[in-house]
Amino acid sequence: MYKVSVVIIGLLLMLQTRAQEGVSIDTAKKITILYTNDLHAHLDPHRVPWISNTRLVGGFANIATRVKQEKAANPNTLYFDAGDFFTGPFISSLTKGEAVINVMNYLSIDAACIGNHEFDHGWENVPDQLRKARFPVLNGNIFLKGKKKLLWNNPYTIIQMNGIRIGVIGLHGQFAFYDTIADEMIQGVETRDEEKYLRKYIKELRKKADLVILLVHQGIPGRQSSTGNTDVARNLQRDIDLAATIPGIDIMITGHAHQGTPQALLSNGTIIVSTDALGTELGKLEISYNPLKDKITAHNNTLNYLYDDEVADDTATARVIADWKQKVKQITDEKVTTIPVSLTRSYGEESVMGNMVADAILYTYPGYDMAVTNSGGLRQDIDAGTVTVGNIISAFPFPNTIHQLEIRGVDLYELFEHGAGLTNGILQVSKGVEIQCDENKPVGSRIISCKLNGMDIDRDKTYKVLTSNFLSDGGDGFVAFKKALTRKKTTQEIVQSMISYLKQYKEYQPLLEGRIKKI
Ligand code: FE
């Protein structure tokens, strides 16, 4: 399957080169499309080890400057975002996303779609916050449960620019929605088949628009890890497939996979672009549209890192960010402990952050056999030095609570297998658990052994396991949690467990102990 897609992309790249030769048609109208996705509340420039260890990247005040510069230099410029602006550094969690929407109002956004993380504080919070946006937010397939009414009734918008009518549709992938949102956060809504609604909206736009742009949030979730990821085609396969299935999308700006497209992908005539997330880059897609042929005759795509030392802050944006941080400073500045080395994350291996979080959960209820947590829930490293409450919320920005389960050994093996398959990252485990796995084996048979305190985990025995409400409900594809024999919900928030656990130590020592061994 993968080989086939590589061949198709290769062929499409050849066609793209040919199309570019035909640029100089007088009637061609040019439009520049700037784009981001998965901004994840990264209001401030930050360090991304796989980009640079010394230079900071991203930041909304830098995005604002670049967008304004581009729009000033060329008025035929649009800026779109493909969702997941909530959840990242503490400011989002502490304001349920309000601060993020407020700062986004300064970015000259022309339209954005809704991502799964916009639901991290519950479905009712979504319209409450989106009402504060001064830019169009689009979604056409998330409905009130059992009703005909959309949660946010704005499936598409039409923008006139340079004599072209541009229809912009917003959709959320059904799989991504249910894969990555905690069940209890979406009790009153349901996401319906994005393909059906995409066809419907394309049909409605046929007479009203010359170009169709799809803002979509779908596919596999982004790796939460301190390292980069380069498998573009695999990570955007769902986008390639959607364009192949449904004709009529001129441009697709996609989010969720956290996978940048240094070169635009082409599928069934659709240009597909995305960034690596967290605002590290501002994507720029320049197109030439020929109204006589009614098609895009040329395009050029670049992903440009937003190095903080190269871009001056937009002053209005910087001021509003500073104001929001000031409002929560009393909470976030509280010191918890110190660490001699950074707490880092890994999607496919044991990590010091994962160990700490699992141990903190077990510390809260010490009578349990083990605690497990998903790598995807760990969102930011904590640098060596003082650890504050703000650092902890940024590392684990979810209001997740602890669930107490009794679960059979056989189901534990299934959970560890799903983790070792790496679509959603491995399960991070508490002290005393030791897992051996072989990534060269096929998905589903990678676990070689699982031990608890030196003894093999017995498939026929029942174990007392702690985890988050998100995993307990089968989140991130860990569906075997649903087979738990008993389930007790607590109101204990995992963030509070982390704070209490770390406060015991004047200096906490992050350690890798071989809890997960790769062969
Ligand atoms: Fe997402």
Side-chain angles (χ1 to χ4, degrees), residues 41 85-100 121:
F85 18 93
F86 288 2
T87 304
F90 56 75
I91 196 69
S92 182
S93 308
L94 290 173
T95 66
K96 296 188 174 180
E98 182 181 0
V100 182
H121 303 279

Side-chain angles (χ1 to χ4, degrees), residues 213-345:
I213 297 180
L214 173 64
L215 308 182
V216 67
H217 201 89
Q218 64 171 0
I220 58 165
R223 290 170 66 94
Q224 297 301 326
S225 162
S226 305
T227 52
N229 181 23
T230 53
D231 196 352
V232 180
R234 184 185 83 88
N235 293 313
L236 298 183
Q237 190 61 50
R238 170 64 194 147
D239 304 293
I240 294 167
D241 292 346
L242 182 66
T245 309
I246 298 181
I249 317 159
D250 295 290
I251 296 164
M252 187 190 297
I253 301 170
T254 183
H256 196 54
H258 295 200
Q259 178 62 69
T261 52
Q263 198 153 23
L265 302 177
L266 278 166
S267 172
N268 195 20
T270 301
I271 300 165
I272 302 171
V273 291
S274 199
T275 75
D276 287 299
L278 313 186
T280 57
E281 306 127 338
L282 183 63
K284 182 177 177 180
L285 174 68
E286 297 162 287
I287 58 158
S288 297
Y289 170 76
N290 185 324
L292 299 176
K293 294 183 181 167
D294 188 24
K295 63 179 189 184
I296 296 172
T297 49
H299 71 270
N300 182 49
N301 179 63
T302 49
L303 279 184
N304 306 293
Y305 287 133
L306 282 162
Y307 285 112
D308 185 44
D309 54 29
E310 286 179 355
V311 191
D313 281 355
D314 177 69
T315 46
T317 311
R319 195 183 324 118
V320 71
I321 293 171
D323 287 349
W324 277 109
K325 285 197 297 195
Q326 186 61 36
K327 279 183 196 165
V328 296
K329 199 173 157 53
Q330 250 197 317
I331 300 171
T332 56
D333 277 3
E334 186 191 336
K335 184 182 163 180
V336 177
T337 188
T338 58
I339 44 175
V341 292
S342 299
L343 278 165
T344 54
R345 301 158 300 141

Side-chain angles (χ1 to χ4, degrees), residues 10-117:
L11 285 171
L12 293 169
L13 287 175
M14 278 168 56
L15 291 174
Q16 172 193 347
T17 317
R18 239 178 257 166
Q20 277 168 341
E21 288 160 9
V23 176
S24 60
I25 300 161
D26 292 330
T27 47
K29 290 176 180 287
K30 293 188 178 177
I31 302 266
T32 295
I33 293 159
L34 306 172
Y35 58 91
T36 50
N37 50 276
D38 303 273
L39 288 170
H40 283 300
H42 279 64
L43 304 186
D44 287 324
H46 49 107
R47 201 172 58 86
V48 180
W50 60 269
I51 298 174
S52 170
N53 269 320
T54 51
R55 303 177 73 190
L56 300 180
V57 288
F60 283 30
N62 289 328
I63 294 174
T65 296
R66 275 280 191 261
V67 173
K68 282 179 189 170
Q69 284 171 346
E70 292 282 354
K71 288 192 171 187
N74 175 9
N76 295 321
T77 298
L78 292 163
Y79 170 31
F80 297 122
D81 182 84
D84 271 6
F85 18 93
F86 288 2
T87 304
F90 56 75
I91 196 69
S92 182
S93 308
L94 290 173
T95 66
K96 296 188 174 180
E98 182 181 0
V100 182
I101 294 285
N102 183 234
V103 182
M104 285 173 84
N105 283 337
Y106 290 78
L107 303 188
S108 311
I109 295 172
D110 291 284
C113 70
I114 298 176
N116 53 300
H117 283 288

